[in-house]
Amino acid sequence: MADMHVAAVHAHAAPSGFFRRYIFSLDHKVIGIQYWLLGLLAVLIGMALSLLVRFHLVWPDAQIPLLHLLSPTGGKGDQMQPEYYLSLLTLHGTLMIFFVLTTVPQSGFGNFALPIQIGAEDMAFPRLNMLSFWTTFVGMVVLLSTFFISDGPPLAGWTAYPPLSAIGPATGPGEGLGQTLWIVSIAIFCVGSLLGSLNFIATTLDLRARGLSLMRLPLTCWAWFITAVLMLLSFAVLFAAGVLLLLDRVGGTSFFIPAGLVVSDQLVNHAGGSPLLWQHLFWFFGHPEVYVAILPGMGITSHIISTFSRKPIFGYKAMIYAMCSIGFLGFMVWGHHMFVSGMSPYSGFAFSVLTMAIAVPSAIKTFNWIGTMIGGKLRLVTPMLFAIGFVSLFVTGGLSGIFLGQPALDLTLHDSYFVIAHFHMVMGVAAIFGMFAGTYFWFPKATGRMMNETLGKVHFWLTFVGAYGIFMPMHYLGLEGHPRRYSTLTGVEFLNTPHLMHLHEFMTVSAFITAAAQLLFLYNLAWSWFKGPEAGENPWEATTLEWTVPSPPPFDNFAGRHAVVYRYPYEFSVPGAEKDYIMQDAVEEAKKKK
Amino acid sequence: MQSEVLTPAKTEEVLDEGSGHGGPPGGGDFGGGDSRPWSVPARAYRTGMWMALVGITMLFAAFTSAMVVRQGISNDWAHTTLPRVLWLNTAILLASSATLELSKRVLATNDFRRFTAWLDVTAVLGLAFIAGQLLAWKELRGRGVYLATNPSSSFFYLLTAAHGVHLVGGITALFYLVTRARVGASRQIGTLLPIDGGRPVGASLEGQVVPGLRTPVEVTAIYWHFMDGLWIYILILMMTRL
Amino acid sequence: MGLAIAIVVALITLISTGVFLSHHWWLPHAISTIAPALDRQFTVTFIITGIIFVVAQLALAYAVWKFRDTGDSRRAVYSHGNTKWELSWTAAAAILFIGLNLMGYQIWASVHFTGPEPGAMQVEVWGEQFNWYFRYPGPDGRFGPVHPEKMNAGIGNYLGLDRAHDADSKDDIVTMTLGVPVDREVDLTMRSKDVTHSFFVRELRLKQDMVPGLEIPIHFMATETGRYEIVCSQLCGLGHYKMRAFFQVMDQPDYDQWLAGQAAAQ
């Protein structure tokens, strides 16, 4: 690799103490892996909760062994109570959205790979980085603590609509201390995310290697950068909303609680607030949050598809502009979550037009991914399979958004299983496929060892087919008018039929198979970490800077060297070149001759 | 092929290590002395601070829009008369911005003693502002106006508290700078050798301030002046709306 | 591997689409005046997105199979994209999606921008954890005021009416079932006692949140008699799953008789 700074090259050693090195580490690579592991813990818990929920829907009377140990009241006699179903669903959503989808693609992979990809020794503010992680960690501890308090986790869903979430225990079990802790947890998470996002922005803008202009950044870096901007602008608003909700609960204020509420025949002593105000503030955060979850996955997918198609990405600039416009428009469409909320129907229609506009850059990205593959020479290794899966799921999930973005169709589809299908496909499973792709792709860099390809492929097949098996039938349920968040189907005649129950059974079985397939992943991960074959510097024959350093990279990434970039990031199959890839820091021919 | 080989980017975009106005060693966060000897350009600190201010702006924008909506939808809004001590507090806060500017100027002339003195004055003025805000709360309480008394009083306490918490952060930063300058000065006596690869921090033997503190002071000043401006905004908002 | 992906993606695509096309699970039978237009819009959207779905997935499957690395010495095509294509599919997507949305304008407008026909029947819909109440104004055509402090399910005063003092309340009829006459415009006012609920009758293709503190109007006309279900579709607490009421569409004589019976039971 070209090294222009031959003088004064000396590597810096990592701190030697265990705690400074692995726990309270300032090293972005360690912090990235910490975030990743935190997300893994969250996703395992979140997945377990979803399995309980799916099981209960299909076998509402079956006893779930040991459930009473988890919650003496919610799992009375090992039978799931309706409120406990909602609590598990709330925690599933909260864990997945915040501690998995926000944490892993951005903070996990971004922390690990961004500084190396831009040729920096670390993030701009390593102490702040450590603080961000530990803040997020505390947020998750607070959230999980709701399992161990007497009235259990909150049941108001991850969107926590007031007045259900604002009045207190009168509205339901879990709405006491549980809901308060939920708000505190989210507020802590907001702080961690805000600190993290400003670090990402400063790092990307100011720490790039010589020659690495913005139009030479890998698309992953662009995605992390745009996501950081979205987080900065949106999490501050969620924090504000959380403060107001907390004050309504514990300070006696009435920001979200209107006058004259009567809960169980008891008059509530609040006046004048607006439940819709919360929805506006929440979704002003909530919609950009969707893109926070998916943009890094788009970046990773673009990066991986180009690398393993051995072909430059189709429309590099178009990809960047598409991500920028998704980010920009993302702040103007929050009202499409509120078509039937009682918001002005005129605003509703305006929001719907903007929503359709945001489908355009999403379509561009899909075309470009397929365009990249056409004419390529596809190496179908596990990270590439997951990236292909991402494209497929993103198309499927995105298209159902065309239905939901139309206010008229929302008259029947809103808050039905169709919505669950849509967002699980597009921001849940697609984003998780992005995470799997990233994990299989960077694992060799992080650990110096390759993951097992066979296990990886089996994992892909089961997860890919399983995901469709779980979420495709939800569309059909949605058409039938099946509402969300029903703990059993016995209360409504049109739901309590074999016609719909068959679909539920199919989905639950798919869910258990898909979950079991994740054990393969865990096994592969653990085995490969210690026993996998040596990866070497650049096992994938990729072009960006992280593949110019040893695996795992030294403490300061470049061992005292200063990387210099001469090229665009995806120089694959350049005619006349010796190999089918040229590293970003390879000196150009013309200069070599001088 | 030739056209696809891009030329190196402009030098402005390049990491500038070792320029006289660069950031402190220690790989960021102004922390020194551990095994992270690479330097981070001063530009990054300014970017980081401006981004933090963008976040804070969004926070107060959210509070503002909540206030406008909350006032617009209901008929229970009662006027809250602002305590007069707020005017004194405003004057104190404006003065603190001025003293911080003085401190920054003195830093340029390397006068260590006057530099720390002005920083001290700024921090004390900041504390005085917080004390004044608490007096304002006390006055409202004396009038029987509490957090939940009325939506307008809710917003009064909310906005002043949110601003106050941020200002306390600023005061902490000032004390940190003063302490670092003093400790740095005492450590440097007897040795002019820089810490591994970086530049010395604090003051040299002659009682002069060296550039290691410039960036932290500059960034803290950006924050402090922003808090000043934010307070003026909040004051105008409360005068016109509450 | 490439062939396997192509086959699986194609199979998933065709089976999913096939199930949709079979209409085995589909929109339920519709009974309101807006439903035909809404169902038509749904079908148009389904056809357009369905074509995009099948074409995109099959293109993906084809690309993976056709351009897989077979170990030969071929190199990938060196290309950074094609601006002309890029612009054309951007324009196509924009026109298609935004056009589709504008097509649905009329339905949304008929529900929300234009009010009910004059002489529409007034009914108030009330939600509470986890029950529905429906209030008819009675012969005077006026709803009496609601006193939250007087709400008391124990004595059957669900909506806090003061029939002794408020003249307008005297003849108000509060029911547990929403009964309406067929082919008559109904003007609903959505209200909630405690938390946010949502009124949903799938056969009407009508959904509207009931937000405490707000009185949200919505109107419809049912075109077929029968008994249907009203379900809550906004999470409202532990009994959300059983917050259900019946919606009865009757001929005018049946309706009159039913309402008289309800009035007698007050």
Side-chain angles (χ1 to χ4, degrees), chain B residues 51-98:
Chain B
M51 289 307 121
L53 298 182
V54 167
I56 293 171
T57 305
M58 287 308 289
L59 177 72
F60 282 88
F63 284 145
T64 306
S65 69
M67 182 168 158
V68 172
V69 170
R70 180 65 180 79
Q71 191 176 17
I73 51 156
S74 67
N75 50 9
D76 62 341
W77 192 276
H79 176 69
T80 298
T81 313
L82 296 182
R84 284 165 83 188
V85 68
L86 291 186
W87 296 107
L88 178 64
N89 297 350
T90 308
I92 291 174
L93 196 59
L94 288 174
S96 76
S97 263

Side-chain angles (χ1 to χ4, degrees), chain C residues 147-179:
Chain C
H147 307 278
E149 69 282 1
K150 291 199 166 67
M151 288 180 182
N152 186 343
I155 59 166
N157 192 0
Y158 305 109
L159 301 185
L161 303 182
D162 188 347
R163 295 182 197 270
H165 296 95
D166 299 325
D168 291 342
S169 297
K170 277 205 176 73
D171 59 350
D172 285 5
I173 304 160
V174 179
T175 69
M176 313 288 248
T177 294
L178 177 60

Side-chain angles (χ1 to χ4, degrees), chain A residues 12 26 121-122 124-128 206 210 213 216 232-233 236 251-255 271-272 274 555-556 566 588, chain B residues 5-7 13-14 27-29 34-38 41 43-44 47 51 55 58-59 70 73-74 76 148 154-155 158:
Chain A
H12 305 294
L26 301 178
E121 289 92 345
D122 204 320
F125 315 118
R127 280 166 196 78
L128 199 67
D206 296 327
R210 200 184 294 276
S213 62
R216 286 178 178 178
L232 185 66
L233 297 176
T253 55
S254 303
F255 296 111
S274 162
F555 174 62
D556 61 353
Y566 293 94
E588 57 210 82
Chain B
V5 177
L6 306 162
T7 51
E13 286 197 327
V14 163
D29 299 302
D34 66 4
S35 56
R36 311 174 69 78
W38 55 81
R43 211 171 55 236
T47 308
M51 289 307 121
M58 287 308 289
L59 177 72
R70 180 65 180 79
I73 51 156
S74 67
D76 62 341
S154 301
F155 277 106
L158 175 73

Side-chain angles (χ1 to χ4, degrees), chain A residues 329-347:
Chain A
L329 288 169
F331 280 101
M332 294 192 278
V333 298
W334 79 88
H336 70 221
H337 298 267
M338 299 170 63
F339 287 148
V340 303
S341 69
M343 175 183 72
S344 152
Y346 296 95
S347 335

Side-chain angles (χ1 to χ4, degrees), chain B residues 96-118:
Chain B
S96 76
S97 263
T99 56
L100 186 55
E101 270 310 295
L102 284 174
S103 162
K104 238 173 83 183
R105 292 237 177 107
V106 176
L107 181 61
T109 67
N110 277 349
D111 186 333
F112 175 72
R113 206 158 294 137
R114 280 171 65 203
F115 162 67
T116 47
W118 281 123

